[in-house]
Amino acid sequence: MSTDENTLPASAPTVWPSVGFTDVDAGVRILTEVLGFVVTALYRDDDGTVAHAEARWPDGGGVMFGSRGKPGDWGALGPAGVYVVAADAATVDAVWARAEGDADLEVTEALHDTDYGSHTFGVRDRDGNLWTVGTYRGV
């Protein structure tokens, strides 16, 4: 393991799921107003295309996103699936309360408790991206 100045602190996320949005502004609304992410970077080209953007999850981690349809492999990114770990069931409940009636989301799994200990639900956005929010942190 490297110990130089480029070493990240243990709390810094090192895996960033990436999603594309046809309408990035609608995607930002879903990420922030519904799911509860905080946009920390958003870089637009002169034509308004989002070349790169980042959103942090308050309990840790985040996603990168940009405009679907821009040139290159990342612009051709198809639907993705992202699992978001919430620190507690109350956070899941609060996000569910915002997500379940949102016109831009399709519920794929209603709020429920799993046999492996997660309090969770799933939705799909208009670009086909799947978002699951739950308390399961993995083993």
Side-chain angles (χ1 to χ4, degrees), residues 33-112:
E33 294 177 21
V34 180
L35 296 176
F37 282 81
V38 176
V39 173
T40 55
L42 194 134
Y43 301 97
R44 291 184 189 266
D45 293 337
D46 290 340
D47 66 358
T49 300
V50 174
H52 172 78
E54 301 172 17
R56 294 287 182 133
W57 177 245
D59 293 341
V63 296
M64 291 187 185
F65 63 96
S67 294
R68 191 173 282 173
K70 66 185 176 192
D73 290 338
W74 288 100
L77 190 65
V82 179
Y83 178 70
V84 180
V85 178
D88 55 47
T91 299
V92 176
D93 291 342
V95 177
W96 170 250
R98 294 188 302 266
E100 72 173 318
D102 192 277
D104 289 329
L105 295 173
E106 169 196 349
V107 173
T108 58
E109 287 186 291
L111 182 66
H112 67 285

Side-chain angles (χ1 to χ4, degrees), residues 97-139:
R98 294 188 302 266
E100 72 173 318
D102 192 277
D104 289 329
L105 295 173
E106 169 196 349
V107 173
T108 58
E109 287 186 291
L111 182 66
H112 67 285
D113 294 317
T114 68
D115 57 358
Y116 53 88
S118 188
H119 186 64
T120 189
F121 71 89
V123 294
R124 180 186 335 266
D125 67 29
R126 289 188 177 203
D127 285 298
N129 298 306
L130 298 172
W131 299 91
T132 302
V133 179
T135 56
Y136 182 73
R137 293 191 172 277
V139 292

